Amino acid sequence: MDSINELATALKKFPGLGKKSAQRIVFHLLRQDENELKRLGALIATLKENLKTCSECGNMSAQDPCPICSDPLRDRKTLCIVEDLESLTAFENAGIYNGLYHVLGAQMSPLEGREISNDAAKFLLQHIKNIKPSEIILATSPSIEGDMTQFSIMDILKSVKHTKITRLAFGLPLGGSIEFADKLTLHTSLEARRPIES
Ligand SMILES: [Zn+2]
């Protein structure tokens, strides 16, 4: 396999890329300056090296604790539990939330045999113990997997007392993901969040 095909095959595995778009990217790269390609290659090669997982919330950034956990201007009494970094980024890009996050790093998917690990559960409970939030917002995706993740979180939170637990209101497209929700939809579902009866 030549380099063009090999790179196209590798890119085809990226989310949202089919064979044609993968090839278009390769031909786009072929037209670039060699230094630019080296810079891009180095960015990919060192992506993980330069990132740390926040020991408080599970976010990834260049520092630990992450800029969100170490920001004194954030509301430290509201904790939003998200499934992944994509969801956290969607909330941050929308600029609609000023509390802290907890990144679960797992979404339940019984078909794929994924579930919230014991370590992830312990990590979440430790975070809650440390910051003693007055409200915990469950921001799981509006999908079957998201609902199952929410039930698992509720199970983990059984021992948490004196904390209001809310979930995002519907309005997010069913079966969709927080990652792709537009700012207005995300804002509405956050503003209209409602308490969960445990
Ligand atoms: Zn953090």
Side-chain angles (χ1 to χ4, degrees), residues 21-128:
S21 7
Q23 278 174 344
R24 278 185 64 204
I25 294 175
V26 178
F27 289 120
H28 169 77
L29 291 172
L30 271 177
R31 289 190 291 270
Q32 304 300 308
D33 175 54
E34 191 152 355
N35 283 332
E36 179 55 25
L37 293 186
K38 283 193 175 137
R39 198 183 70 88
L40 190 62
L43 271 178
I44 296 176
T46 57
L47 181 65
K48 285 193 162 180
E49 250 170 61
N50 299 330
L51 284 176
K52 295 185 176 77
T53 300
C54 176
S55 55
E56 292 179 23
C57 77
N59 184 17
M60 281 182 105
S61 73
Q63 62 191 72
D64 178 23
C66 74
I68 297 175
C69 287
S70 41
D71 183 349
L73 297 177
R74 302 213 51 138
D75 164 19
R76 308 189 70 82
K77 288 294 163 194
T78 309
L79 183 69
C80 180
I81 302 179
V82 291
E83 284 157 330
D84 46 34
L85 292 172
E86 288 91 326
S87 300
L88 184 154
T89 307
F91 276 107
E92 283 301 287
N93 287 347
I96 53 170
Y97 175 72
N98 192 42
L100 299 182
Y101 296 95
H102 187 89
V103 184
L104 217 46
Q107 192 188 53
M108 296 283 285
S109 180
L111 294 175
E112 291 172 38
R114 284 185 293 160
E115 54 186 68
I116 301 173
S117 67
N118 282 341
D119 284 349
K122 267 189 220 160
F123 182 45
L124 170 62
L125 288 172
Q126 187 58 50
H127 193 191
I128 292 171

